Amino acid sequence: MSKTKKNSSALSEKDGIDAPPNLNKQSAERLKKNRQKKRTTQDLIHGILAGDKTALSRGITLIESTAAKHQENAKQLIEACLPHANRSVRIGITGVPGVGKSTFIEQFGSLLVSEEKKVAVLAVDPSSSLSHGSILGDKTRMEALVKEDNAFIRPSASGESLGGVARKTREAIILCEAAGFDIIIIETVGVGQSETAVHSMTDFFLLLKLAGAGDELQGIKRGIMEMADAIVINKADGDNIKAAKLAKTEFNRALHLYPAKASNWTPKTLTCSALTNEGISDVWELIQSYLNSTKDSGYFSEKRREQNKFWLLQTIESELKQSFYSNPIIKKELKTQLELINTNKTSPFEAANYLLSLS
Amino acid sequence: MSKTKKNSSALSEKDGIDAPPNLNKQSAERLKKNRQKKRTTQDLIHGILAGDKTALSRGITLIESTAAKHQENAKQLIEACLPHANRSVRIGITGVPGVGKSTFIEQFGSLLVSEEKKVAVLAVDPSSSLSHGSILGDKTRMEALVKEDNAFIRPSASGESLGGVARKTREAIILCEAAGFDIIIIETVGVGQSETAVHSMTDFFLLLKLAGAGDELQGIKRGIMEMADAIVINKADGDNIKAAKLAKTEFNRALHLYPAKASNWTPKTLTCSALTNEGISDVWELIQSYLNSTKDSGYFSEKRREQNKFWLLQTIESELKQSFYSNPIIKKELKTQLELINTNKTSPFEAANYLLSLS
């Protein structure tokens, strides 16, 4: 029985994470322990670089930990993995619940594995912080894929803020890449802002849709449509085939209303059935043709550089805001100033200057 | 000949703004001058509150000044005007060049004046910082409206950043309202990001369009469509009437794809001809019905409070970023860290932490 099975959401002492300090311990023992801790982080690094899925899983748990005492180990781990990262293709997949994401990813992942690829599936789902990983909670999900040696499936990172979740996912990608995974699939539920986060950490963004009755575009988030490199209409099987084809036409028409992308790639619409496995290989062919065209043009690397810059600036800016607004004096005065603004006693600009002068 | 005519873009000494300090001057003279300065800012305030358009114009020039020595006077002026502000209806009008914005605003403004309204027209056009006010540079623009006692037309604020321009426009609104203007029209060229700024400082947002050949939606910015409370298709006259009606249908269809607005208002599409004055009063009726419905529901005030908060937070956050990134150490190290990220020597998150530790 492996350690991760025994305790999958917390790291045991042997995993390099020590228990709360016991004041009765001798310093000699503590020293020994520190050495041990160092050795186990090294073990984790070696395990990940050797492609060991148990080590990868433990590594992700370590970077997901919010405990201050794990931060240094996590940092070491990421630094050791970074030189081996950046070599995969990162595919973002989004779609509302019920669209058949799991079945699609199971089929799609199995196809990739059959082509000798190593496939990692990560999920971004900030809302699951409530249900803590419910997205993969049911064991029936991706049953076949999960058994494959060359597949790694990780439940969604949970966290209080999307920024936190996004950071953990970005770092999990680094670990997966260092463990030799070729294709990283980042899955998200198409209901929140997480799509933008996923879009900004992937090379190709796929929107999974269903054919519905009537107006296909009703209620769709324009932002998501605009980000998509492909729209795949799932469940195009049985009685649904005709509706799926109609939906394809309508989405194609809608996609043409959008301005050309920086990638010079024209987003495509496909139909597929994850149930009958029809059209799944077409999706992979489409992605490959995207990869060829953007790698040739240099856009692929350019986009990754842009994404790095985005995350750097994003982290800085959210940290600047965070440290400003969490200041207790600001918290209190912000309320007062808002009231003064709303009663025409000050302007938003004067109030801002005043608040900034307090920090 | 009024002072503003003589020198419309800079304030003369008599306007309360002193010339570059002359070191030979006696301190007694300086004291006298300070008293004079104080008096003239007071004069400006009295003039504006009395509805004097020359004073209003000079007041706006004062708040638009980037000179540090004018800031204190500008602050006094705004503080004095604030209790008299917030009483107008603020209408944002956008549309690409050639759509006939000037003619439309001239007709629309004249209608409002004929209904005993006082109308101020301000323009937001960050790009005009190059041509410095070219948007109203030609004197033929709004020829009839400009002659009306109850109309005030102000060329676009110019500035280096959209944030700066937006701030000045927000403050110009306060001055116009204090001067008793009932309707403030904020005009912007629908080509940049300025629409979002204008949208977030107005009560009603109107998108002016032309009927074109073929696909009306081609190339239109979704963001702008989404912000619009009404789309008005201008130049619906002569041979163009049929095309305008078709465009109306197409825009209506497109508007229905968007989710319901927080205002509970369903955006409407109208046609008009600023040339023949056809349909102009319908636009005003539509706006009035919007005002009635949102004032009844409380959304009108709620939106203004939200806008105040938006501008407060926006100003704080842009200032936080500005002061971080303008730090010479950060400027230098940011480049280095980006290179380290792109060569996999560090992660965006580690780099962000490092940069934050330097500030």
Side-chain angles (χ1 to χ4, degrees):
Chain A
M1 201 187 195
S2 86
K3 275 170 229 154
T4 42
K5 261 188 202 148
K6 204 171 63 195
N7 188 351
S8 66
S9 67
L11 290 165
S12 72
E13 203 169 318
K14 285 178 188 158
D15 290 327
I17 315 296
D18 47 7
N22 181 338
L23 296 172
N24 295 329
K25 275 183 183 170
Q26 301 298 318
S27 61
E29 274 188 330
R30 239 182 288 140
L31 208 69
K32 188 183 152 201
K33 196 138 189 296
N34 276 344
R35 250 183 270 120
Q36 208 175 34
K37 184 159 73 177
K38 185 136 190 178
R39 206 180 60 223
T40 50
T41 303
Q42 284 305 319
D43 286 349
L44 216 50
I45 294 168
H46 289 309
I48 289 172
L49 294 183
D52 173 16
K53 290 203 281 181
T54 308
L56 176 58
S57 190
R58 280 165 49 203
I60 295 177
T61 304
L62 177 65
I63 58 168
E64 283 180 354
S65 166
T66 49
K69 57 182 174 171
H70 297 161
Q71 312 264 303
E72 187 49 38
N73 287 355
K75 197 181 153 189
Q76 275 173 30
L77 179 59
I78 292 159
E79 274 170 10
C81 287
L82 267 170
H84 309 277
N86 223 18
R87 291 179 194 156
S88 76
V89 171
R90 304 164 187 167
I91 302 170
I93 297 185
T94 192
V96 293
V99 78
K101 271 195 305 301
S102 306
T103 337
F104 176 82
I105 293 172
E106 165 123 307
Q107 296 280 17
F108 182 64
S110 300
L111 171 74
L112 297 173
V113 166
S114 78
E115 294 192 4
E116 312 284 309
K117 301 283 181 196
K118 289 188 72 181
V119 180
V121 181
L122 305 171
V124 170
D125 177 21
S127 65
S128 80
S129 56
L130 290 173
S131 49
H132 199 10
S134 69
I135 197 170
L136 265 157
D138 57 309
K139 300 279 168 157
T140 56
R141 216 166 158 276
M142 303 185 200
E143 250 182 351
L145 191 59
V146 85
K147 285 177 200 147
E148 295 279 356
D149 276 346
N150 283 334
F152 174 79
I153 300 177
R154 175 78 187 188
S156 62
S158 67
E160 307 230 330
S161 72
L162 178 58
V165 173
R167 173 184 179 146
K168 287 167 186 174
T169 308
R170 280 274 303 191
E171 292 177 337
I173 293 175
I174 292 169
L175 266 49
C176 290
E177 290 179 342
F181 285 89
D182 306 299
I183 315 269
I184 321 280
I185 295 172
I186 322 284
E187 173 190 0
T188 185
V189 177
V191 288
Q193 284 197 291
S194 53
E195 296 77 24
T196 313
V198 170
H199 179 252
S200 56
M201 59 176 81
T202 52
D203 307 310
F204 188 91
F205 196 69
L206 191 154
L207 171 61
L208 221 53
K209 289 292 295 177
L210 284 187
D215 194 340
E216 303 299 344
L217 299 170
Q218 187 73 41
I220 196 171
K221 289 195 190 69
R222 283 161 306 290
I224 296 181
M225 281 278 282
E226 197 169 11
M227 288 189 294
D229 295 305
I231 294 178
V232 175
I233 297 143
N234 193 18
K235 303 193 183 175
D237 41 45
D239 294 344
N240 220 5
I241 292 179
K242 202 182 154 195
K245 281 187 182 159
L246 274 171
K248 182 181 158 172
T249 310
E250 192 148 357
F251 280 117
N252 250 334
R253 182 183 172 332
L255 283 174
H256 277 104
L257 301 179
Y258 294 169
K261 288 179 172 247
S263 56
N264 270 325
W265 170 258
T266 312
K268 307 283 190 299
T269 311
L270 292 174
T271 60
C272 82
S273 165
L275 189 71
T276 66
N277 211 4
E278 196 100 23
I280 302 289
S281 61
D282 297 337
V283 175
W284 177 224
E285 271 170 36
L286 185 72
I287 295 175
Q288 282 175 301
S289 99
Y290 173 88
L291 294 173
N292 288 336
S293 119
T294 55
K295 281 183 175 173
D296 279 354
S297 70
Y299 177 80
F300 186 88
S301 332
E302 192 193 312
K303 185 176 178 183
R304 288 215 168 169
R305 278 193 300 273
E306 283 302 315
Q307 289 178 339
N308 284 335
K309 194 173 172 183
F310 171 83
W311 286 104
L312 172 66
L313 302 185
Q314 239 260 352
T315 309
I316 288 172
E317 286 155 25
S318 75
E319 189 48 50
L320 287 173
K321 285 197 259 179
Q322 157 76 20
S323 78
F324 182 82
Y325 291 122
S326 64
N327 177 338
I329 302 166
I330 300 295
K331 268 187 190 169
K332 188 174 156 281
E333 283 296 317
L334 186 63
K335 270 191 180 171
T336 317
Q337 290 296 313
L338 269 173
E339 273 163 37
L340 292 174
I341 294 168
N342 287 331
T343 51
N344 286 327
K345 302 280 194 323
T346 184
S347 80
F349 304 102
E350 286 307 330
N353 288 343
Y354 172 70
L355 289 169
L356 286 162
S357 75
L358 298 177
S359 72
Chain B
M1 199 189 197
S2 85
K3 278 171 224 153
T4 42
K5 263 190 200 147
K6 205 171 64 195
N7 189 349
S8 66
S9 66
L11 289 165
S12 73
E13 204 169 317
K14 285 178 192 161
D15 290 326
I17 315 297
D18 46 9
N22 182 339
L23 297 172
N24 295 330
K25 275 185 184 168
Q26 301 296 321
S27 60
E29 275 187 329
R30 241 182 286 140
L31 208 67
K32 187 184 152 200
K33 197 137 190 297
N34 277 344
R35 248 183 272 120
Q36 206 176 34
K37 184 159 72 180
K38 184 137 192 175
R39 205 180 61 224
T40 50
T41 303
Q42 285 304 319
D43 287 348
L44 217 49
I45 294 169
H46 289 308
I48 289 172
L49 294 183
D52 173 14
K53 290 202 280 180
T54 308
L56 176 58
S57 188
R58 278 165 49 202
I60 296 178
T61 304
L62 176 64
I63 58 167
E64 283 180 355
S65 166
T66 49
K69 56 181 174 172
H70 298 161
Q71 311 265 303
E72 187 49 39
N73 287 354
K75 199 182 152 189
Q76 276 174 30
L77 179 60
I78 292 159
E79 274 169 11
C81 287
L82 267 170
H84 310 276
N86 224 19
R87 290 179 195 155
S88 77
V89 170
R90 304 165 187 167
I91 302 170
I93 298 185
T94 191
V96 293
V99 78
K101 272 196 305 301
S102 305
T103 337
F104 176 82
I105 293 173
E106 165 124 306
Q107 296 280 15
F108 182 64
S110 300
L111 171 75
L112 297 172
V113 166
S114 78
E115 293 192 5
E116 311 286 308
K117 302 282 183 196
K118 288 188 72 180
V119 180
V121 181
L122 305 171
V124 170
D125 177 21
S127 66
S128 81
S129 57
L130 290 173
S131 49
H132 200 12
S134 67
I135 197 171
L136 265 157
D138 56 309
K139 299 278 167 160
T140 56
R141 218 167 156 272
M142 304 186 200
E143 249 181 352
L145 190 59
V146 85
K147 284 178 200 148
E148 295 280 357
D149 275 347
N150 284 334
F152 174 79
I153 300 177
R154 176 77 187 188
S156 62
S158 68
E160 307 230 330
S161 72
L162 178 57
V165 172
R167 174 185 178 146
K168 287 167 186 175
T169 308
R170 281 273 305 190
E171 292 177 337
I173 293 175
I174 293 168
L175 267 47
C176 290
E177 291 179 342
F181 285 90
D182 305 300
I183 315 270
I184 321 281
I185 295 172
I186 321 284
E187 173 190 1
T188 184
V189 177
V191 288
Q193 285 195 291
S194 53
E195 295 77 25
T196 313
V198 170
H199 179 253
S200 55
M201 59 175 81
T202 52
D203 306 310
F204 188 92
F205 196 69
L206 191 155
L207 172 60
L208 220 54
K209 289 292 295 177
L210 283 187
D215 193 340
E216 302 299 344
L217 300 168
Q218 186 72 41
I220 196 170
K221 289 194 190 70
R222 281 162 308 291
I224 297 180
M225 281 278 281
E226 195 169 11
M227 288 189 293
D229 295 304
I231 295 178
V232 175
I233 297 143
N234 193 20
K235 303 193 184 176
D237 42 45
D239 295 344
N240 220 4
I241 292 179
K242 202 183 154 193
K245 282 186 181 160
L246 274 171
K248 182 181 160 173
T249 310
E250 192 147 357
F251 280 117
N252 250 334
R253 182 183 174 328
L255 284 173
H256 278 104
L257 301 179
Y258 294 168
K261 287 180 174 245
S263 56
N264 271 326
W265 170 258
T266 313
K268 309 282 189 298
T269 311
L270 293 174
T271 60
C272 83
S273 165
L275 189 70
T276 66
N277 211 5
E278 196 100 24
I280 302 289
S281 61
D282 296 338
V283 176
W284 177 224
E285 272 170 35
L286 185 73
I287 294 174
Q288 282 174 301
S289 100
Y290 173 89
L291 293 173
N292 289 336
S293 119
T294 54
K295 280 182 177 174
D296 279 355
S297 70
Y299 178 79
F300 185 88
S301 331
E302 193 193 311
K303 185 175 177 183
R304 286 214 170 170
R305 279 193 299 273
E306 283 301 315
Q307 290 179 339
N308 284 336
K309 193 173 174 184
F310 171 83
W311 286 104
L312 172 66
L313 302 185
Q314 239 258 353
T315 309
I316 288 173
E317 286 155 25
S318 76
E319 189 49 50
L320 287 174
K321 283 197 260 179
Q322 158 78 21
S323 80
F324 182 82
Y325 291 122
S326 65
N327 177 337
I329 301 165
I330 300 294
K331 267 188 189 168
K332 189 175 157 278
E333 283 297 314
L334 186 64
K335 268 191 181 172
T336 316
Q337 290 296 313
L338 270 173
E339 273 164 37
L340 292 174
I341 294 168
N342 287 332
T343 50
N344 286 327
K345 301 281 197 321
T346 186
S347 80
F349 304 102
E350 287 308 328
N353 289 342
Y354 171 71
L355 290 169
L356 286 160
S357 76
L358 297 177
S359 75

